[in-house]
Amino acid sequence: MKRIGILTSGGDCQALNAAMRGVVKGLSTSGDTLEIYGFYDGYKGLIYGNYRYLTSQDFSGILTKGGTILGTSRQPFKQMRVPDENGLDKVEAMKHTYHKLNLDCLVILGGNGTQKTANLLREEGLNVLHLPKTIDNDIWGTDITFGFQSALNIATNTIDCIHTTAASHNRVFIVEVMGHKVGWLPLHAGIAGGADIILIPEIPYDIEKVVEAVNRRTRQGKGFTILAVAEGAISVENAKLSKKEFKEMVNTSQFPSVSYEVADQIAQKTGRDVRVTVPGHMQRGGSPCAYDRVLCTQLGAAAAQAIEEKDYGYMIAMVNGQTTRVPLSEAAGRLKTVDPDCQLVQEAKKVGICFGD
Ligand code: F6P
């Protein structure tokens, strides 16, 4: 008999259901009787004991379904040790729910913040496994996170659509791609969509270099220019600000996001028509792509195997095409950022893509 708890936490993405299905299907082949408890809305469900007994039937037919059948919410790691408005100790409450249900393991699907809390629960003595989810692909210790390829297809498709209208009107277009702290998604979408300029948080941009790249294209007789700009793209000047100064600057800015500021500067300095497109949460929506379905099936099966072996305290990662158990104690709190000198960036530059540096 195995008693498993499962929850999805943080921002959603396309392949959460596919991953949960992988875990449950993987466990179902072991011959052991299975009890599954699904916690609603991430850690909230574990804290407040909001869960449902589920059967393997509940995980059937959800491979292609976006979102999460359990719901999710953001429960910041920093707040976990802070009692709630009624004085409830959240960590103790989570432990209580876990022990009350007599769980063998808690399977936690989520990004960096979620992983930190998973590690905290491990430190508190719970058996946990973490599956790396995020469209940002910024989890250290795994080559890829699920959600990334699905979001990449949507962001790339947006740039593809923008191409035809940009060319017809001889305009400059900015597509703002998700990624506040890291630029994997805008980097890959920009290259895949044939963007001329890519701005990511890891490479602070000089607006003069960006403008020069736009003008260069005009001189070459290319009427339009497309920029893929990360939500968290940052200018060289702003990169020098302290965290507090930067926050203040953002709060008082006349622009809704950095893309609009870059658009305004390009328009003023070149006299060109500039338009901004923000696909936003569309990037996290719809069905998982084929790549993510395969990835999640593998990660789910590998998690089931770890549970069968009673080997807990890991993130189930994908490294060099192999599923691997990475200790949460090593991975938690580490971010996988884009190295500005990496091969991908260098090769993008080699084909003429400007990064504003
Ligand atoms: O972490 C995933 C992500 O989609 C980021 O790319 C984005 O910056 C953020 O979540 C948006 O968060 P929210 O859904 O809370 O607005």
Side-chain angles (χ1 to χ4, degrees):
M1 155 78 94
K2 284 262 177 309
R3 296 165 75 94
I4 305 300
I6 192 159
L7 64 85
T8 56
S9 168
D12 76 333
C13 76
Q14 293 89 343
L16 283 161
N17 289 325
M20 288 193 277
R21 169 188 175 271
V23 177
V24 173
K25 278 202 179 281
L27 286 169
S28 304
T29 57
S30 73
D32 238 359
T33 323
L34 195 57
E35 276 190 13
I36 310 159
Y37 294 89
F39 295 97
Y40 289 117
D41 301 333
Y43 287 115
K44 234 190 213 173
L46 188 62
I47 297 169
Y48 298 105
N50 190 10
Y51 58 84
R52 190 159 75 89
Y53 173 70
L54 300 164
T55 68
S56 54
Q57 265 313 99
D58 292 295
F59 296 89
S60 197
I62 60 170
L63 174 65
T64 62
K65 198 175 159 147
T68 157
I69 58 167
L70 295 180
T72 185
S73 66
R74 290 196 188 277
Q75 298 294 313
F77 171 71
K78 271 191 210 157
Q79 296 296 316
M80 281 300 178
R81 290 281 185 197
V82 180
D84 79 354
E85 58 281 11
N86 299 315
L88 180 79
D89 182 325
K90 295 172 203 154
V91 177
E92 284 308 314
M94 288 193 281
K95 284 163 63 180
H96 174 77
T97 309
Y98 178 98
H99 291 302
K100 190 181 85 181
L101 293 173
N102 201 14
L103 297 179
D104 290 297
C105 178
L106 181 62
V107 181
I108 299 169
L109 290 74
N112 280 296
T114 300
Q115 188 189 58
K116 284 195 260 184
T117 300
N119 188 45
L120 184 154
L121 294 176
R122 179 194 65 79
E123 287 167 348
E124 292 288 326
L126 306 195
N127 295 332
V128 297
L129 287 175
H130 168 241
L131 266 59
K133 165 247 59 161
T134 167
I135 67 164
D136 297 333
N137 196 28
D138 60 354
I139 298 183
W140 183 91
T142 185
D143 292 345
I144 188 117
T145 59
F146 56 90
F148 175 67
Q149 290 289 345
S150 300
L152 174 58
N153 287 350
I154 295 172
T156 302
N157 188 37
T158 307
I159 301 176
D160 288 350
C161 292
I162 289 299
H163 248 106
T164 55
T165 177
S168 312
H169 285 275
N170 279 340
R171 281 170 171 164
V172 175
F173 264 91
I174 295 180
V175 177
E176 184 173 287
V177 181
M178 274 187 165
H180 264 302
K181 290 186 187 151
V182 300
W184 293 110
L185 192 55
L187 173 61
H188 282 256
I191 294 172
D196 310 293
I197 300 167
I198 299 175
L199 305 182
I200 58 173
E202 294 90 338
I203 307 178
Y205 66 86
D206 173 348
I207 193 65
E208 296 306 331
K209 301 256 173 69
V210 174
V211 167
E212 174 47 27
V214 174
N215 288 337
R216 198 177 318 125
R217 276 184 60 83
T218 312
R219 283 198 302 275
Q220 290 166 348
K222 291 168 178 156
F224 70 94
T225 298
I226 293 182
L227 292 85
V229 174
E231 283 175 314
I234 188 164
S235 67
V236 173
E237 300 77 40
N238 287 343
K240 289 180 192 148
L241 298 178
S242 68
K243 231 178 173 177
K244 194 173 162 220
E245 289 169 330
F246 182 73
K247 231 179 177 176
E248 223 169 273
M249 187 277 300
V250 170
N251 288 342
T252 54
S253 169
Q254 61 176 119
F255 302 105
S257 70
V258 63
S259 297
Y260 289 90
E261 185 177 357
V262 171
D264 186 66
Q265 288 171 317
I266 294 175
Q268 286 197 29
K269 288 173 189 281
T270 64
R272 301 286 304 277
D273 235 1
V274 189
R275 295 287 187 272
V276 177
T277 298
V278 184
H281 288 77
M282 264 182 65
Q283 291 163 96
R284 295 205 318 232
S287 300
C289 67
Y291 183 98
D292 274 336
R293 294 179 202 181
V294 175
L295 174 65
C296 286
T297 304
Q298 283 194 269
L299 294 177
Q305 184 63 38
I307 292 170
E308 272 174 46
E309 292 171 21
K310 299 188 169 86
D311 196 19
Y312 306 119
Y314 298 98
M315 162 174 66
I316 306 297
M318 184 61 78
V319 179
N320 296 328
Q322 304 287 310
T323 55
T324 311
R325 295 171 198 171
V326 176
L328 280 170
S329 57
E330 259 180 56
R334 295 168 86 169
L335 205 60
K336 184 180 72 184
T337 56
V338 176
D339 173 1
D341 298 320
C342 72
Q343 206 177 41
L344 184 58
V345 170
Q346 295 315 314
E347 286 165 352
K349 285 183 176 175
K350 183 81 182 136
V351 297
I353 296 173
C354 166
F355 285 79
D357 60 340

